[in-house]
Amino acid sequence: MLWWNTAGALDRQVDAAIRADATALMERLEAGGMPAVVAAIEDRMAVDVQNETLYLLLGPEDRRLAGNLSTWPPEANGEFSWIRIPLQRDGAVSEARLFRVDVGGGTRMLVGRDVAEKLRLRGLLSEGIAWAASASAGFAVLGAWLLRRSLERRLSPIYRTARAISSGDLTPRVPLSERDDEFDKLGATMNAMLDRIAQLMEGVRGVSDAIAHDLRTPIARARAKLEESLHAAHDEDSLRAAVEQGIADLDAIARVFQAVLRIAEVEAGARRAAFAETDLAPVLADIAELYGASAEAREQHLAVDLPDALPLVGDRDLLAQAVVNLLDNALKFTPEGGTVTLSARLGDDFAEIEVADDGPGMPEADRLRAGERFFRADAARTTPGSGLGLSLVRAVAALHRGEVLLRDTHPGAAAPGLTVALRLPTA
């Protein structure tokens, strides 16, 4: 662009001046004939202080009429009107830019300029551009090298952490600086990913250990009862009772595995395809009616506070299963004469379903682990269950981009109870 706006502009300026000069001389020819042209050429050469103008006017039989060029150059006999030839002037080699004009009647004329000064200016410009380009290239190479060193220095902690993780050690984390730039954001994202991977790996190990621990007892008990009935059963009724008890124990084991698989399916997001717009209020009402009878059988009271409509987008069956699990836990830990409350409310951009009980509550330390598979608080050790109910609730909430909140029903009381809120976005 710089070359076009300088050297190119100089060439265009010279050509325009030559063409204008030739046009003016032809106008003088039409106005005053050949003597007027000769006089005009002599006047132009007289006032040319810089000695740049070039003229040659030849009459018939190549008779020289005017101008400061000694001979007609052979290059001017070609098919092109514009020519560029070397020029010897005052003992120095220069260059001329000439324009041929066929006057007619055997008369020819050359009009041009000595462009030696402009060629020197072009040379200086070319040299300046070359130096500038070389300096720019040097700065670019230096900048690229410095940028690469900076990138390597900022990314080296990520490389080291990735190598440590690939070797099987999940404890290293990417160190973060105080700049809070893109590299820190990348490191923070990678740390969050590693925390999630470590959590999942720990969950897998915990699930394996819990399955081995929790299922060993019912399997051993079922085997012992079947073996005892095989050797000690005196009649068909006692043998049948032992077999039925073994089947019940095996059914309980199968339900545990079914719950684990269901949680895994929900956490994998496989059920998101079943999402649809639904009104959860009638579903909650049906669940409340069903569990109201169960609460009465246990001499408990189920209070219900539901809105007329609770529109949501999600899996209706999974949400119903989550509420059923919460009610199961609430009724299980509420003493006789206690109250379990099922309520729901609709916020600006969320819906919240709450299940509150009058049970012993849950310590703060246990709430942090509540939702882990097979985790059971100390107060729940003596009650039947496998520790998977709240895990399914949390998985359903995560699938719906929601959350599970735990708090005391009666803060400060001897039996604070537990309120579990399932908060879900309405969109």
Side-chain angles (χ1 to χ4, degrees):
M1 185 60 68
L2 178 63
W3 178 266
W4 172 260
N5 289 329
T6 52
L10 291 175
D11 292 340
R12 293 190 296 273
Q13 182 181 5
V14 170
D15 291 350
I18 294 173
R19 189 181 297 275
D21 199 2
T23 302
L25 291 176
M26 293 302 295
E27 292 176 352
R28 294 293 296 272
L29 177 63
E30 294 178 359
M34 191 61 65
V37 176
V38 173
I41 292 175
E42 296 295 335
D43 292 341
R44 283 168 166 76
M45 290 189 299
V47 299
D48 183 16
V49 179
Q50 297 180 349
N51 195 24
E52 290 183 348
T53 57
L54 299 174
Y55 299 98
L56 180 58
L57 179 61
L58 297 181
E61 299 179 356
D62 292 339
R63 182 168 57 89
R64 188 173 182 275
L65 301 178
N68 52 5
L69 291 177
S70 58
T71 59
W72 184 271
E75 292 85 353
N77 296 324
E79 57 177 327
F80 299 106
S81 299
W82 289 96
I83 60 173
R84 188 183 294 270
I85 61 173
L87 185 65
Q88 187 78 23
R89 299 185 71 187
D90 300 330
V93 178
S94 180
E95 185 173 313
R97 175 69 167 168
L98 301 174
F99 179 65
R100 185 187 68 209
V101 180
D102 294 325
V103 180
T107 301
R108 298 177 294 173
M109 180 174 60
L110 288 176
V111 180
R113 295 289 187 273
D114 186 346
V115 295
E117 193 67 29
K118 292 180 174 58
L119 289 178
R120 283 193 292 271
L121 179 60
R122 178 184 291 182
L124 290 175
L125 179 63
S126 301
E127 184 179 356
I129 291 178
W131 279 106
S134 301
S136 300
F139 281 116
V141 172
L142 178 61
W145 181 77
L146 292 175
L147 180 61
R148 180 172 181 177
R149 288 291 303 274
S150 177
L151 289 175
E152 289 179 348
R153 185 174 62 255
R154 295 302 308 277
L155 292 175
S156 58
I158 299 179
Y159 296 153
R160 291 193 298 269
T161 303
R163 283 196 297 267
I165 296 297
S166 63
S167 64
D169 185 8
L170 297 180
T171 58
R173 294 295 181 265
V174 179
L176 303 179
S177 66
E178 298 179 354
R179 302 178 185 178
D180 195 24
D181 54 8
E182 289 78 4
F183 297 100
D184 285 337
K185 293 178 181 178
L186 175 61
T189 304
M190 186 172 179
N191 289 341
M193 177 189 68
L194 294 175
D195 291 340
R196 178 59 176 165
I197 292 175
Q199 180 183 0
L200 293 176
M201 293 297 296
E202 185 65 27
V204 170
R205 286 192 291 267
V207 168
S208 301
D209 295 342
I211 289 177
H213 181 270
D214 289 2
L215 298 186
R216 178 180 58 186
T217 299
I219 291 176
R221 184 172 61 247
R223 185 184 183 282
K225 288 183 178 180
L226 292 175
E227 186 176 7
E228 180 183 358
S229 62
L230 180 63
H231 298 288
H234 303 291
D235 52 21
E236 182 180 352
D237 292 337
S238 58
L239 182 60
R240 180 182 297 275
V243 171
E244 290 177 352
Q245 182 62 41
I247 292 175
D249 291 338
L250 293 177
D251 286 341
I253 297 172
R255 283 194 297 271
V256 171
F257 280 109
Q258 185 178 3
V260 171
L261 293 176
R262 189 175 180 85
I263 293 173
E265 180 186 6
V266 173
E267 290 180 343
R271 295 294 299 265
R272 191 169 287 121
F275 276 25
E277 295 184 1
T278 183
D279 185 2
L280 208 60
V283 178
L284 296 179
D286 293 341
I287 295 175
E289 183 179 356
L290 176 64
Y291 275 83
S294 178
E296 291 179 1
R298 300 185 181 192
E299 298 183 359
Q300 299 166 339
H301 175 65
L302 178 61
V304 180
D305 182 13
L306 301 176
D308 296 333
L310 194 65
L312 286 173
V313 176
D315 190 321
R316 175 173 177 169
D317 295 337
L318 284 180
L319 293 173
Q321 181 64 53
V323 176
V324 166
N325 286 9
L326 294 179
L327 285 175
D328 276 335
N329 285 341
L331 294 175
K332 185 188 305 180
F333 293 104
T334 299
E336 292 183 2
T339 300
V340 175
T341 303
L342 171 63
S343 61
R345 65 186 182 93
L346 190 63
D348 294 334
D349 56 354
F350 68 92
E352 190 171 271
I353 305 169
E354 288 187 355
V355 176
D357 62 52
D358 293 338
M362 181 180 293
E364 189 66 28
D366 290 342
R367 293 181 192 178
L368 299 176
R369 298 190 58 192
E372 295 181 8
R373 299 180 190 180
F374 298 103
F375 172 75
R376 306 192 72 192
D378 293 336
R381 296 294 181 183
T382 58
T383 59
S386 58
L388 295 174
L390 198 54
S391 299
L392 179 60
V393 175
R394 287 194 179 274
V396 171
L399 181 69
H400 290 78
R401 304 288 190 266
E403 58 181 337
V404 178
L405 307 175
L406 284 75
R407 59 179 179 269
D408 291 336
T409 304
H410 310 291
L418 182 66
T419 297
V420 182
L422 179 60
R423 179 173 293 181
L424 306 170
T426 54

